[in-house]
Amino acid sequence: MGTAQQYVRRRADMVGRLRERGIADRRVLAAMAEVPRERFVPRELADEAYLDRPLRIGAGQTISAPGIVAYMIAALELAADSSVLEVGTGSGYAAAVLSRCCRSVLSVERHRQLARRAHTVLRELGYDNVAVRVGDGSEGAPDCAPFDAISVAAMARQTPPPALLAQLAAGGTLLCPVGRSHRGTLVRVRDGHVERLQAVAFVPLITGDQPNGS
Ligand code: SAH
């Protein structure tokens, strides 16, 4: 485990690398300089928290690499008062970064244990504008819709889940990786207009009709 000071330096170095790679959104960079990524990974992996790669977080799931977290949040083009739905809380790291860039985040995770752990860390760090809910995020959260932005952190097979598109506010942005076997394309939908942004790898989005998912 590094010292608090070492983590501050590693975070600053990580932000420097993100900037070099073309992430220009100031709010995203500031958020990533602030959120202690080492708190969102298993204790034994804390020293690897600032490498630009995904890490195992248990339950067969991963925390995304910092580069893709930054890229996705920048691509949402959030406003300070945006309400955001995240599908796939995982470690809670992306939700924490998102929470620094908008008004509120509702994050849905199907693994109860991951959701509970993420909730605990987010509370400990005082990120009080994030709520974590257990459930099938491909159904969205109709009781809290519409959302100004929806970020899906797991790979849909063919298209973004229709329920999510229906819960997007007018002019809102949805991001969803689409593809198979961990290889896919990040798709952005806004006002019915679909853009294919870049190649990405994600764990699969497990929907209600796939009971073998857990
Ligand atoms: N954003 C996360 C990484 C997400 S990994 C982070 O920062 O750590 C993808 C997550 O999506 C996994 O935790 C997986 O359990 C979850 N997931 C997969 N299908 C889901 C579904 N239908 N609803 C909610 N969560 C789902």
Side-chain angles (χ1 to χ4, degrees), residues 37 40 57 59 61-64 69 86-95 108-111 114 133 135-139 153-154 202-208:
R37 188 170 157 92
F40 293 88
I57 55 170
Q61 307 302 326
T62 52
I63 175 174
S64 304
V69 174
E86 181 192 40
V87 177
T89 314
S91 67
Y93 175 72
V108 185
E109 169 58 54
R110 61 184 291 281
H111 274 288
L114 290 178
R133 184 181 278 191
D136 178 0
S138 65
E139 303 290 336
F202 273 92
V203 298
L205 180 71
I206 310 288
T207 52

Side-chain angles (χ1 to χ4, degrees), residues 43-179:
R43 207 174 281 267
E44 67 274 15
L45 295 180
D47 272 334
E48 295 175 48
Y50 292 96
L51 303 179
D52 194 35
R53 57 183 185 83
L55 297 172
R56 284 171 289 107
I57 55 170
Q61 307 302 326
T62 52
I63 175 174
S64 304
I68 186 69
V69 174
Y71 180 83
M72 286 182 74
I73 299 178
L76 288 172
E77 296 174 348
L78 300 171
D81 65 348
S82 296
S83 63
V84 180
L85 173 69
E86 181 192 40
V87 177
T89 314
S91 67
Y93 175 72
V97 177
L98 274 168
S99 78
R100 309 294 84 195
C101 303
C102 67
R103 175 170 56 81
S104 64
V105 180
L106 173 58
S107 186
V108 185
E109 169 58 54
R110 61 184 291 281
H111 274 288
R112 187 174 297 278
Q113 234 182 320
L114 290 178
R116 193 175 297 149
R117 202 183 308 153
H119 170 81
T120 302
V121 179
L122 290 162
R123 284 294 86 79
E124 281 173 9
L125 293 171
Y127 297 144
D128 292 333
N129 59 338
V130 188
V132 179
R133 184 181 278 191
V134 179
D136 178 0
S138 65
E139 303 290 336
D143 55 317
C144 297
F147 299 94
D148 298 309
I150 299 179
S151 182
V152 184
M155 189 110 77
R157 288 206 167 183
Q158 273 154 358
T159 53
L164 297 183
L165 289 167
Q167 290 171 36
L168 206 52
T173 304
L174 177 140
L175 274 184
C176 183
V178 174

